[in-house]
Amino acid sequence: MGQAVAFRTARWDVVRMRHVVWGRWGVAGVLAALAIVVVTGWPAGLPSAGATAAGVYASPTPVPTGGPELVYVANTQGPVTAYLAGSTGSVPPVRQLAAPGAPNTYWGPWGIAFDTRGNAYAQSFLSNATTFVYPPGATTPSRIFRVAGPDSRAVAIDSAGYAYVATGQAEAMIAVAAPGASGVAANLYTVPAVRQIPTDESFHPWPGVLTTDTSGHVIAAVVRSIGNAVEFFNGGPSGGATPVRVIAGPHTGLGTCSSTCDQVAVAYSAFTGRLYVAVSQGQQTHINVYAGTASGDAAPVRVISGPSTGLAGKVITGIAGSQVDGTIYVLTKAAAFNSPGSILAFDRLADGDTPPRRVFTDGGTALRDGMGIALSTVR
């Protein structure tokens, strides 16, 4: 019975892959995907001898093709750096987005995100908390805006181009900027928020707390003394202040934030249709995988945890999913600040005590200042 269910799930993932690839890249994309199947055994999650009754999935050895994607890392004391997604070991960045030196700005990025046109959004945390927007391939921003106050720790962009910035010095909220928002130096690049969304959280600054899905939602991971949660809000300029859906409860595995705080980071994968939540919980640090429609006290469909994962004893400051093969990337560190880090890449169907398929770090900086991460084909 379990093998039959696993096979049906895997077959559905293949069908989803076909529709996603066909819709985005047409015939050429489908042919490229089929080539990946031949070379790597895609979708790398079909039932195999590596699957056990406990649900532990052993990923096959990856073929290090490098792929078309880059993993972008926001570094608080340096540039945004990008690495080939297929990297292993110590590697140099292949692209950097440095501080532009624009007047009346402060550079200290915690968040990085991309819109559908390939523009990169680097979100600074302190002082003016400005958002810098870099066109594809550019090394200087084409526009700068400030829609929220200090302590702006994450940014996400929806398919319509609305930008969501998580802030919280005065109160925890998400400020929404209009598509194409751009300010001027004279007023610190301030633009009006088309909307402000309060979030139900105890403010403990952490990157990676925002994402958007394909159903028009902005999704916030929030920490609370009564139990952490994931809140879904209608996106755009006119959604309400109340979440339309909340994942919370004792079966969710999201942890809590009281005497100690289990920090959370979130990512939605349009490729798999799943929601991924990283919970930093000391030796029990783990990644929860939820159905895209999960609500209430929903248990994760999979949990990546255990000594073989490389997550135990670490914090996860950023999480992102590949839109090419569904691989899940996380930035892990011993501590959030001034601590060496590594990018761990897990198979999209990883479960239980599964080792990552790849591990890499920056050969120069060791990602000491790394915070939020994002994936993009933009180079």
Short mmCIF file of all heavy atoms in Angstrom, two decimals, residues 154-201:
data_model
loop_
_atom_site.label_atom_id
_atom_site.label_comp_id
_atom_site.label_asym_id
_atom_site.label_seq_id
_atom_site.Cartn_x
_atom_site.Cartn_y
_atom_site.Cartn_z
N ALA A 154 13.01 41.12 5.54
CA ALA A 154 12.72 40.21 4.43
C ALA A 154 11.91 40.92 3.37
O ALA A 154 11.19 41.89 3.66
CB ALA A 154 11.97 38.97 4.94
N VAL A 155 12.00 40.43 2.14
CA VAL A 155 11.26 40.98 1.02
C VAL A 155 10.76 39.84 0.14
O VAL A 155 11.43 38.81 0.01
CB VAL A 155 12.13 41.97 0.20
CG1 VAL A 155 13.35 41.29 -0.39
CG2 VAL A 155 11.32 42.67 -0.89
N ALA A 156 9.57 40.01 -0.43
CA ALA A 156 9.01 39.03 -1.36
C ALA A 156 8.25 39.80 -2.44
O ALA A 156 7.71 40.88 -2.17
CB ALA A 156 8.09 38.05 -0.64
N ILE A 157 8.19 39.24 -3.62
CA ILE A 157 7.54 39.88 -4.76
C ILE A 157 6.50 38.93 -5.35
O ILE A 157 6.79 37.74 -5.53
CB ILE A 157 8.56 40.26 -5.86
CG1 ILE A 157 9.84 40.83 -5.25
CG2 ILE A 157 7.94 41.22 -6.85
CD1 ILE A 157 9.67 42.10 -4.45
N ASP A 158 5.31 39.43 -5.67
CA ASP A 158 4.32 38.55 -6.29
C ASP A 158 4.35 38.67 -7.80
O ASP A 158 5.12 39.47 -8.37
CB ASP A 158 2.92 38.80 -5.72
CG ASP A 158 2.33 40.16 -6.08
OD1 ASP A 158 2.83 40.81 -7.02
OD2 ASP A 158 1.34 40.57 -5.43
N SER A 159 3.54 37.89 -8.48
CA SER A 159 3.57 37.83 -9.94
C SER A 159 3.13 39.14 -10.59
O SER A 159 3.45 39.40 -11.75
CB SER A 159 2.70 36.68 -10.44
OG SER A 159 1.35 36.84 -10.01
N ALA A 160 2.39 39.97 -9.85
CA ALA A 160 1.96 41.26 -10.39
C ALA A 160 2.98 42.37 -10.14
O ALA A 160 2.81 43.49 -10.61
CB ALA A 160 0.62 41.66 -9.77
N GLY A 161 4.04 42.06 -9.39
CA GLY A 161 5.08 43.04 -9.14
C GLY A 161 4.96 43.80 -7.84
O GLY A 161 5.79 44.67 -7.56
N TYR A 162 3.95 43.49 -7.02
CA TYR A 162 3.86 44.11 -5.71
C TYR A 162 4.99 43.59 -4.82
O TYR A 162 5.28 42.38 -4.80
CB TYR A 162 2.51 43.84 -5.06
CG TYR A 162 1.38 44.63 -5.68
CD1 TYR A 162 0.61 44.09 -6.71
CD2 TYR A 162 1.12 45.94 -5.27
CE1 TYR A 162 -0.41 44.83 -7.31
CE2 TYR A 162 0.10 46.68 -5.85
CZ TYR A 162 -0.65 46.13 -6.88
OH TYR A 162 -1.65 46.86 -7.48
N ALA A 163 5.61 44.50 -4.07
CA ALA A 163 6.71 44.13 -3.19
C ALA A 163 6.22 44.15 -1.74
O ALA A 163 5.56 45.10 -1.31
CB ALA A 163 7.88 45.10 -3.36
N TYR A 164 6.55 43.11 -1.01
CA TYR A 164 6.15 42.97 0.39
C TYR A 164 7.41 43.01 1.25
O TYR A 164 8.34 42.23 1.03
CB TYR A 164 5.41 41.66 0.59
CG TYR A 164 4.21 41.50 -0.32
CD1 TYR A 164 4.35 40.96 -1.60
CD2 TYR A 164 2.95 41.94 0.08
CE1 TYR A 164 3.27 40.85 -2.45
CE2 TYR A 164 1.86 41.82 -0.76
CZ TYR A 164 2.02 41.28 -2.04
OH TYR A 164 0.94 41.17 -2.88
N VAL A 165 7.43 43.91 2.23
CA VAL A 165 8.60 44.08 3.09
C VAL A 165 8.18 43.85 4.53
O VAL A 165 7.28 44.52 5.04
CB VAL A 165 9.21 45.49 2.94
CG1 VAL A 165 10.40 45.66 3.89
CG2 VAL A 165 9.65 45.72 1.49
N ALA A 166 8.83 42.88 5.19
CA ALA A 166 8.54 42.58 6.60
C ALA A 166 9.36 43.50 7.48
O ALA A 166 10.59 43.53 7.39
CB ALA A 166 8.86 41.12 6.90
N THR A 167 8.68 44.25 8.32
CA THR A 167 9.36 45.16 9.23
C THR A 167 8.81 44.96 10.63
O THR A 167 7.99 44.07 10.87
CB THR A 167 9.17 46.62 8.77
OG1 THR A 167 10.00 47.48 9.55
CG2 THR A 167 7.73 47.06 8.88
N GLY A 168 9.27 45.77 11.60
CA GLY A 168 8.75 45.52 12.93
C GLY A 168 9.34 46.30 14.06
O GLY A 168 9.25 45.86 15.20
N GLN A 169 9.99 47.43 13.82
CA GLN A 169 10.55 48.16 14.95
C GLN A 169 9.44 48.69 15.86
O GLN A 169 9.50 48.55 17.08
CB GLN A 169 11.43 49.32 14.48
CG GLN A 169 12.16 50.01 15.62
CD GLN A 169 13.01 51.15 15.14
OE1 GLN A 169 12.51 52.07 14.48
NE2 GLN A 169 14.29 51.12 15.45
N ALA A 170 8.42 49.28 15.27
CA ALA A 170 7.30 49.77 16.06
C ALA A 170 6.27 48.67 16.27
O ALA A 170 5.81 48.41 17.37
CB ALA A 170 6.67 50.97 15.36
N GLU A 171 5.89 48.00 15.20
CA GLU A 171 4.98 46.86 15.27
C GLU A 171 5.28 45.93 14.11
O GLU A 171 5.73 46.37 13.04
CB GLU A 171 3.52 47.32 15.21
CG GLU A 171 3.13 48.02 13.92
CD GLU A 171 1.64 48.35 13.86
OE1 GLU A 171 0.84 47.52 14.33
OE2 GLU A 171 1.30 49.42 13.34
N ALA A 172 5.06 44.66 14.33
CA ALA A 172 5.33 43.68 13.28
C ALA A 172 4.28 43.80 12.19
O ALA A 172 3.07 43.69 12.45
CB ALA A 172 5.33 42.28 13.87
N MET A 173 4.74 44.06 10.96
CA MET A 173 3.80 44.20 9.86
C MET A 173 4.51 43.96 8.54
O MET A 173 5.74 43.90 8.46
CB MET A 173 3.16 45.59 9.86
CG MET A 173 4.11 46.69 9.49
SD MET A 173 3.27 48.27 9.28
CE MET A 173 4.62 49.29 8.70
N ILE A 174 3.70 43.84 7.49
CA ILE A 174 4.19 43.74 6.12
C ILE A 174 3.72 44.99 5.39
O ILE A 174 2.52 45.27 5.31
CB ILE A 174 3.64 42.49 5.41
CG1 ILE A 174 3.99 41.22 6.20
CG2 ILE A 174 4.16 42.41 3.99
CD1 ILE A 174 3.23 40.00 5.74
N ALA A 175 4.68 45.76 4.88
CA ALA A 175 4.35 46.94 4.09
C ALA A 175 4.35 46.56 2.61
O ALA A 175 5.25 45.84 2.15
CB ALA A 175 5.34 48.06 4.35
N VAL A 176 3.38 47.03 1.86
CA VAL A 176 3.23 46.66 0.45
C VAL A 176 3.54 47.87 -0.43
O VAL A 176 2.93 48.93 -0.28
CB VAL A 176 1.80 46.16 0.16
CG1 VAL A 176 1.70 45.65 -1.28
CG2 VAL A 176 1.40 45.06 1.15
N ALA A 177 4.48 47.70 -1.35
CA ALA A 177 4.84 48.75 -2.30
C ALA A 177 4.28 48.41 -3.67
O ALA A 177 4.22 47.24 -4.07
CB ALA A 177 6.35 48.91 -2.39
N ALA A 178 3.88 49.43 -4.41
CA ALA A 178 3.30 49.25 -5.74
C ALA A 178 4.36 48.76 -6.73
O ALA A 178 5.56 49.01 -6.55
CB ALA A 178 2.69 50.55 -6.23
N PRO A 179 3.94 48.07 -7.79
CA PRO A 179 4.89 47.68 -8.84
C PRO A 179 5.63 48.90 -9.37
O PRO A 179 5.04 49.95 -9.60
CB PRO A 179 3.99 47.05 -9.90
CG PRO A 179 2.78 46.57 -9.16
CD PRO A 179 2.58 47.58 -8.06
N GLY A 180 6.94 48.77 -9.55
CA GLY A 180 7.75 49.86 -10.08
C GLY A 180 8.05 50.96 -9.09
O GLY A 180 8.56 52.03 -9.49
N ALA A 181 7.78 50.75 -7.81
CA ALA A 181 8.01 51.79 -6.80
C ALA A 181 9.44 52.30 -6.86
O ALA A 181 10.39 51.54 -6.97
CB ALA A 181 7.71 51.23 -5.41
N SER A 182 9.59 53.62 -6.77
CA SER A 182 10.91 54.25 -6.84
C SER A 182 10.86 55.58 -6.11
O SER A 182 9.93 56.37 -6.30
CB SER A 182 11.33 54.47 -8.30
OG SER A 182 12.63 54.99 -8.38
N GLY A 183 11.86 55.82 -5.25
CA GLY A 183 11.91 57.06 -4.50
C GLY A 183 13.08 57.92 -4.92
O GLY A 183 13.82 57.60 -5.85
N VAL A 184 13.26 59.03 -4.21
CA VAL A 184 14.36 59.95 -4.49
C VAL A 184 15.13 60.19 -3.20
O VAL A 184 14.60 60.07 -2.09
CB VAL A 184 13.85 61.28 -5.08
CG1 VAL A 184 13.20 61.05 -6.43
CG2 VAL A 184 12.89 61.96 -4.11
N ALA A 185 16.41 60.58 -3.37
CA ALA A 185 17.29 60.73 -2.22
C ALA A 185 16.80 61.79 -1.24
O ALA A 185 16.98 61.67 -0.02
CB ALA A 185 18.70 61.07 -2.69
N ALA A 186 16.17 62.85 -1.76
CA ALA A 186 15.78 63.98 -0.91
C ALA A 186 14.84 63.56 0.22
O ALA A 186 14.88 64.14 1.31
CB ALA A 186 15.13 65.06 -1.76
N ASN A 187 13.98 62.58 -0.02
CA ASN A 187 13.07 62.13 1.05
C ASN A 187 13.39 60.69 1.47
O ASN A 187 12.50 59.93 1.86
CB ASN A 187 11.61 62.25 0.62
CG ASN A 187 11.23 61.26 -0.46
OD1 ASN A 187 12.09 60.66 -1.12
ND2 ASN A 187 9.93 61.05 -0.64
N LEU A 188 14.68 60.33 1.37
CA LEU A 188 15.17 59.01 1.79
C LEU A 188 14.50 57.88 1.00
O LEU A 188 14.32 56.78 1.52
CB LEU A 188 14.96 58.80 3.29
CG LEU A 188 15.56 59.85 4.22
CD1 LEU A 188 15.28 59.52 5.67
CD2 LEU A 188 17.05 59.98 3.97
N TYR A 189 14.11 58.18 -0.24
CA TYR A 189 13.54 57.19 -1.16
C TYR A 189 12.18 56.66 -0.69
O TYR A 189 11.72 55.61 -1.14
CB TYR A 189 14.51 56.03 -1.38
CG TYR A 189 15.85 56.48 -1.88
CD1 TYR A 189 16.90 56.74 -1.01
CD2 TYR A 189 16.08 56.69 -3.24
CE1 TYR A 189 18.14 57.19 -1.45
CE2 TYR A 189 17.31 57.14 -3.70
CZ TYR A 189 18.33 57.39 -2.81
OH TYR A 189 19.55 57.84 -3.26
N THR A 190 11.53 57.40 0.20
CA THR A 190 10.26 56.96 0.75
C THR A 190 9.17 56.96 -0.30
O THR A 190 9.01 57.91 -1.07
CB THR A 190 9.83 57.87 1.91
OG1 THR A 190 10.86 57.85 2.91
CG2 THR A 190 8.52 57.40 2.53
N VAL A 191 8.42 55.87 -0.36
CA VAL A 191 7.25 55.76 -1.22
C VAL A 191 6.07 55.37 -0.35
O VAL A 191 6.24 54.74 0.70
CB VAL A 191 7.45 54.72 -2.35
CG1 VAL A 191 8.61 55.11 -3.25
CG2 VAL A 191 7.66 53.32 -1.77
N PRO A 192 4.86 55.75 -0.75
CA PRO A 192 3.70 55.39 0.08
C PRO A 192 3.41 53.89 0.02
O PRO A 192 3.53 53.27 -1.04
CB PRO A 192 2.56 56.20 -0.55
CG PRO A 192 2.99 56.42 -1.96
CD PRO A 192 4.48 56.55 -1.92
N ALA A 193 3.05 53.34 1.14
CA ALA A 193 2.60 51.94 1.16
C ALA A 193 1.17 51.89 0.66
O ALA A 193 0.31 52.65 1.11
CB ALA A 193 2.69 51.39 2.58
N VAL A 194 0.92 51.03 -0.30
CA VAL A 194 -0.45 50.89 -0.80
C VAL A 194 -1.29 50.12 0.21
O VAL A 194 -2.53 50.14 0.14
CB VAL A 194 -0.48 50.18 -2.17
CG1 VAL A 194 0.27 50.98 -3.20
CG2 VAL A 194 0.09 48.77 -2.08
N ARG A 195 -0.61 49.51 1.19
CA ARG A 195 -1.32 48.70 2.17
C ARG A 195 -0.34 48.28 3.25
O ARG A 195 0.86 48.13 2.99
CB ARG A 195 -1.90 47.48 1.46
CG ARG A 195 -2.66 46.50 2.32
CD ARG A 195 -3.16 45.37 1.45
NE ARG A 195 -3.54 44.21 2.22
CZ ARG A 195 -3.46 42.97 1.78
NH1 ARG A 195 -2.99 42.74 0.57
NH2 ARG A 195 -3.84 41.96 2.54
N GLN A 196 -0.83 48.11 4.47
CA GLN A 196 -0.03 47.57 5.56
C GLN A 196 -0.76 46.39 6.17
O GLN A 196 -1.97 46.47 6.44
CB GLN A 196 0.26 48.64 6.61
CG GLN A 196 1.18 49.74 6.11
CD GLN A 196 1.50 50.77 7.18
OE1 GLN A 196 0.73 50.99 8.10
NE2 GLN A 196 2.66 51.40 7.06
N ILE A 197 -0.05 45.30 6.39
CA ILE A 197 -0.65 44.07 6.88
C ILE A 197 -0.03 43.73 8.24
O ILE A 197 1.16 43.41 8.32
CB ILE A 197 -0.40 42.90 5.92
CG1 ILE A 197 -0.84 43.25 4.50
CG2 ILE A 197 -1.11 41.64 6.40
CD1 ILE A 197 -0.40 42.24 3.45
N PRO A 198 -0.78 43.81 9.33
CA PRO A 198 -0.23 43.43 10.64
C PRO A 198 -0.07 41.92 10.73
O PRO A 198 -0.89 41.15 10.21
CB PRO A 198 -1.28 43.94 11.62
CG PRO A 198 -2.56 43.94 10.84
CD PRO A 198 -2.19 44.26 9.42
N THR A 199 1.00 41.49 11.39
CA THR A 199 1.21 40.06 11.61
C THR A 199 1.17 39.77 13.10
O THR A 199 1.57 40.60 13.92
CB THR A 199 2.55 39.59 11.03
OG1 THR A 199 3.62 40.37 11.58
CG2 THR A 199 2.56 39.73 9.51
N ASP A 200 0.67 38.60 13.43
CA ASP A 200 0.46 38.22 14.83
C ASP A 200 1.72 37.54 15.35
O ASP A 200 1.84 36.32 15.36
CB ASP A 200 -0.74 37.28 14.92
CG ASP A 200 -0.99 36.80 16.34
OD1 ASP A 200 -0.57 37.51 17.28
OD2 ASP A 200 -1.58 35.71 16.51
N GLU A 201 2.71 38.36 15.76
CA GLU A 201 3.96 37.77 16.20
C GLU A 201 4.62 38.57 17.30
O GLU A 201 4.37 39.76 17.47
CB GLU A 201 4.94 37.64 15.03
CG GLU A 201 5.44 38.95 14.47
CD GLU A 201 6.52 38.75 13.41
OE1 GLU A 201 7.42 37.92 13.63
OE2 GLU A 201 6.45 39.43 12.38
#
